[in-house]
């Protein structure tokens, strides 16, 4: 199968950053399965994002952050629509 249309770089970047909605992510993921060109671009974007995160100085958590996260683990999930 030859693909003639590709997602824009901004859409691929949003996918790599994990900020796309479920529907758009599904469409991009399906495209990446068939398109090594875009898959390579997303791989580079993810590597760049990872490198940037590794170079960031760590920040201290807010007081009580761990307790707040642990308390959320015991909260039942919202009901499915
Ligand atoms: Zn593509």
């Amino acid at each position: 199968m030859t693909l003639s249309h590709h997602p824009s770089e901004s859409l691929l970047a949003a996918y790599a950053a994990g900020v796309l909605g479920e529907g758009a992510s599904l469409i991009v993921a399906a495209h990446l399965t068939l398109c090594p060109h875009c898959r390579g671009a997303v791989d580079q974007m993810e590597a760049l994002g990872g490198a940037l995160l590794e170079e960031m100085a760590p920040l201290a958590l807010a007081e009580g952050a761990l307790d707040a996260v642990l308390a959320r683990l015991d909260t039942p999930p919202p009901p499915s629509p």
Side-chain angles (χ1 to χ4, degrees), residues 1-17:
M1 172 184 276
T2 301
L3 300 174
S4 57
H5 298 285
H6 303 275
S8 67
E9 279 191 21
S10 62
L11 192 63
L12 293 176
Y15 176 84

Side-chain angles (χ1 to χ4, degrees), residues 3 5-7 31-32 35 37-39:
L3 300 174
H5 298 285
H6 303 275
H31 179 85
L32 295 179
C35 183
H37 172 75
C38 290
R39 195 167 52 244

Side-chain angles (χ1 to χ4, degrees):
M1 172 184 276
T2 301
L3 300 174
S4 57
H5 298 285
H6 303 275
S8 67
E9 279 191 21
S10 62
L11 192 63
L12 293 176
Y15 176 84
V19 296
L20 279 183
E22 287 182 29
S25 289
L26 179 62
I27 292 169
V28 172
H31 179 85
L32 295 179
T33 300
L34 301 173
C35 183
H37 172 75
C38 290
R39 195 167 52 244
V42 167
D43 286 347
Q44 289 180 343
M45 292 174 187
E46 289 175 339
L48 176 62
L52 290 173
L53 286 174
E54 286 183 5
E55 292 183 7
M56 290 177 65
L59 295 174
L61 291 175
E63 190 171 320
L66 179 59
D67 291 337
V69 169
L70 293 177
R72 290 182 64 189
L73 292 176
D74 295 331
T75 304
S80 299

